[in-house]
Amino acid sequence: MTDAKPKWNRRKDARPSEIVDAAMALFAENGFANTKLDDVARRAGVAKGTLYRYFDTKEALFRAVVQHLLTNHLEVVEKAGKAFEGSLAEFVPMLLKRAAQSLGDDRLPGLARVMLAEGRAFPDLAAVWHDELAARMLDLIAGMVAKAQDRGEVRPGDPRLYAFSIIGPISVALLYHEAFGSRADAPDLEALASQHAETILRGMAASIPYQKEPTP
Amino acid sequence: MTDAKPKWNRRKDARPSEIVDAAMALFAENGFANTKLDDVARRAGVAKGTLYRYFDTKEALFRAVVQHLLTNHLEVVEKAGKAFEGSLAEFVPMLLKRAAQSLGDDRLPGLARVMLAEGRAFPDLAAVWHDELAARMLDLIAGMVAKAQDRGEVRPGDPRLYAFSIIGPISVALLYHEAFGSRADAPDLEALASQHAETILRGMAASIPYQKEPTP
Amino acid sequence: MTDAKPKWNRRKDARPSEIVDAAMALFAENGFANTKLDDVARRAGVAKGTLYRYFDTKEALFRAVVQHLLTNHLEVVEKAGKAFEGSLAEFVPMLLKRAAQSLGDDRLPGLARVMLAEGRAFPDLAAVWHDELAARMLDLIAGMVAKAQDRGEVRPGDPRLYAFSIIGPISVALLYHEAFGSRADAPDLEALASQHAETILRGMAASIPYQKEPTP
Amino acid sequence: MTDAKPKWNRRKDARPSEIVDAAMALFAENGFANTKLDDVARRAGVAKGTLYRYFDTKEALFRAVVQHLLTNHLEVVEKAGKAFEGSLAEFVPMLLKRAAQSLGDDRLPGLARVMLAEGRAFPDLAAVWHDELAARMLDLIAGMVAKAQDRGEVRPGDPRLYAFSIIGPISVALLYHEAFGSRADAPDLEALASQHAETILRGMAASIPYQKEPTP
DNA sequence: GATGAATGAGCATTCATTCAT
DNA sequence: AATGAATGAATGCTCATTCAT
């Protein structure tokens, strides 16, 4: 067997990544102040001092976590934008469905929650989060809306506000799950994604939209 | 000596309210962990020890703050519900407009932000917040949607999910302002309220809704 | 008896002073780095946190200690200067004797030792120490030497360097005691003060000095 | 492969010397507590772990540094002693001049400063420093003084105290430079050496000493 | 009741030392 | 022999909580 040495011996390059993973889980779960570096170290399977080889301070670790998450999601957002240059009617359901699915396997909603909490304490981090994720995603959606308006598919109106109309409900529902847990009356995210996609597209449609039945 | 007890002789009953006000402002601004009781005391104009005459722990103070806010808003919500038993088309714009205006003068968005952040740390408080505000408001809206469906005005669909569709965007926009401040590209809340109200009502409408022009 | 309450109750104004005293003893004994705030607190009879009510950081406490000592000694130096405007031959023995006696009851030699050690780490403190104590004392002595030269009592030469000649040996001997303890061969400070005073005054004297007996 | 082991293949015996040099520079500059082994290793051009192949602890390294310095200076002192068995009047100016020149190129004043500071923490090291350097040098000087007294050249008095009178001023001035840097008013060491040598020899002289002018 | 000095558990951070490679 | 990542005990500092006045 090649599993040889049980302790550290494993790829040292992976160490920072293991730490970031552990930290991400704990920050997303407990917030910044309630996360103890002792716990991060324990969860990462290293000693407390080891954290400091890679990150100068707790804050630096938090920043790394946020950056790591943003970097991952940026690509997804960018790609999604290019893939759907055409049809808003296809893009919106896909986007919302994806967001709905992000709850379990993704730390983004959890970290979003924490950023909300600590945004005042880390204004520059909030700015990065905003510039690189929030604003970018809104711009992407607003851009697609604008194009659809040019094609006459969407009613007049501020595309940016439409972007809020599109992603607002699923975002709030995600936070709802984050904050209140998935209790009995928490919304079914996929159902919401599906129903809201249809509803909002209808509402934005130029005339009698998305109506499969031929107008007599 | 009767020389005018220079300090406390004001109604003792008023003290808790001053404390709660001060605490509400600071909790809403900085979150639970980042709020120091020293600051609360200073802002309330009392000594630190005085806080403990009225509240056993920092957490108890936080609970009182949340309860206080909830109590205030409950009445509003309840009344709003009764006042608009009739028309969803009138209720939704009014509701969103009101929410949009709540940003400046109201601590609710700030505290909502904090509840979202600290919900995990205070599950029972989160439960109160949920039961007494979030769920109640959602139920109210969902109830109105259901009635509108009964009247044939709104398309079929889960009324509760429609409720998310209605209040999601303005909620997210409020949080956006809370988190990122009112920077250049932050959405204009009143414009969003107005545009989204129209859009979502259109999207929910049973057929060709809100169309003043008679179909020939 | 009025010794009433055993714990804190005693003049709270004295608290900072008690802390400074305890800190002075420990800093003078162990240096800055080797002094633990836990020990300072224990020695001062207070809790660790109490230190922070009066001093923001360990460094601030150290500064307070140094300032405290300087303030005390400044007065002595100033007065000594005024008292002996006349005679170098009387001033020098008195000064050296006093310095010799400072070993036991005075923390100055100990702190001088520490300042020597930490001067590089606290350049501004070193500057204060220098400006307010070292330079001032040297100036005082140099001034008296210069006057004596004007009166023709002392040979030509740089008065400032004469000042070093006067206080150098006793200073080094004090440090010797500080560093090596009062072991067998450590110099007898009072004897040194007496012998050096006579020797250096002879050496500085314009001609055949201090020679009461007329040369036949 | 024989491709020139890019790293270590230089004489292993030389390594300790490089380490001791680096450590001496840093200890002399920053003191014991403020010197980090990381820095010593970096300055010596080796890895941190390498230090431990040659020195068991930080303290052991410090001892080695002190020993190294002492060994170097012992020879000088011994030789100087033999070379000047005759004349105090020639020896003293030479000794002080040499001490004055030691400031720049020599680590001794710096280490002396540190020994002074850390003497309490390392009593046995202080003992070595004392026995092998301080005491020896004092003995040397005292011995020469005693001989001069036997020859009737120096007035009666404790030779050991005379030794302090001789080297005290230049020692203090060296420490002055060490502690306060060479600021404007720091004494000119060579001038002090010259002036003090003449002054103290005069003061110690049996009668009318060093007087070029013939007594009429 | 009110005060605020005092408390001390809790936590981030440093750095000498170890040890698998 | 040399390396440097990993370790964890030690310590400065914070802040919710207590309590003598």
Side-chain angles (χ1 to χ4, degrees), chain D residues 112-180:
Chain D
R113 202 189 88 233
V114 174
M115 278 308 305
L116 231 37
E118 312 281 2
R120 290 295 228 283
F122 304 105
D124 58 322
L125 239 200
V128 172
W129 179 277
H130 170 266
D131 296 345
E132 303 200 3
L133 191 66
R136 207 180 288 224
M137 179 157 266
L138 282 169
D139 286 345
L140 171 69
I141 302 173
M144 299 189 69
V145 168
K147 279 185 202 148
Q149 286 176 320
D150 290 345
R151 290 193 303 267
E153 294 168 15
V154 167
R155 311 180 71 228
D158 184 336
R160 218 178 151 69
L161 299 183
Y162 277 137
F164 273 92
S165 286
I166 291 169
I167 58 163
I170 196 76
S171 304
V172 162
L174 277 167
L175 292 172
Y176 193 101
H177 275 271
E178 280 290 325
F180 303 129

Side-chain angles (χ1 to χ4, degrees), chain B residues 78 98 104 149:
Chain B
E78 301 291 70
R98 221 179 234 222
Q149 285 177 319

Side-chain angles (χ1 to χ4, degrees), chain C residues 23-194:
Chain C
M24 175 137 43
L26 291 171
F27 281 140
E29 179 72 14
N30 307 317
F32 182 79
N34 291 324
T35 295
K36 284 154 240 165
L37 290 189
D38 259 329
D39 294 339
V40 173
R42 184 157 34 252
R43 178 165 187 146
V46 302
K48 203 170 14 160
T50 304
L51 304 182
Y52 285 86
R53 177 164 301 282
Y54 300 102
F55 306 97
D56 283 345
T57 62
K58 184 185 183 183
E59 186 180 327
L61 176 56
F62 183 54
R63 287 172 190 284
V65 164
V66 172
Q67 291 285 4
H68 182 67
L69 195 80
L70 290 184
T71 306
N72 284 357
H73 279 269
L74 275 190
E75 304 169 15
V76 177
V77 171
E78 301 291 70
K79 277 182 195 159
K82 307 232 158 128
F84 282 90
E85 294 215 333
S87 165
L88 196 64
E90 289 174 41
F91 177 65
V92 167
M94 183 281 295
L95 176 71
L96 297 189
K97 186 173 185 186
R98 220 179 236 221
Q101 290 166 339
S102 79
L103 184 64
D105 37 307
D106 198 344
R107 298 251 126 87
L108 194 136
L111 262 197
R113 204 189 84 233
V114 173
M115 278 308 302
L116 224 41
E118 311 283 0
R120 294 292 230 283
F122 303 105
D124 58 322
L125 244 198
V128 173
W129 180 277
H130 171 267
D131 295 346
E132 303 202 1
L133 191 66
R136 209 181 285 226
M137 178 156 268
L138 283 170
D139 285 346
L140 171 68
I141 301 172
M144 299 190 68
V145 169
K147 277 186 202 146
Q149 287 176 319
D150 289 346
R151 291 193 302 268
E153 295 168 16
V154 166
R155 309 181 71 229
D158 184 336
R160 223 180 144 70
L161 299 183
Y162 277 135
F164 272 92
S165 286
I166 291 169
I167 58 163
I170 196 76
S171 305
V172 161
L174 277 167
L175 292 172
Y176 194 101
H177 275 270
E178 280 291 325
F180 303 129
S182 299
R183 48 179 70 208
D185 66 348
D188 176 330
L189 291 174
E190 303 225 18
L192 174 61
S194 158

Side-chain angles (χ1 to χ4, degrees), chain A residues 10 18-19 22 26 36-48 51:
Chain A
R10 33 193 192 186
E18 289 167 6
I19 293 172
L26 290 171
K36 285 155 237 162
L37 290 191
D38 258 330
D39 295 338
V40 173
R42 185 156 34 251
R43 178 164 187 146
V46 302
K48 205 170 13 162
L51 304 181

Side-chain angles (χ1 to χ4, degrees), chain B residues 125-143:
Chain B
L125 238 201
V128 172
W129 178 277
H130 171 266
D131 296 345
E132 303 201 4
L133 190 67
R136 209 181 286 226
M137 178 157 267
L138 283 169
D139 284 347
L140 170 69
I141 302 172

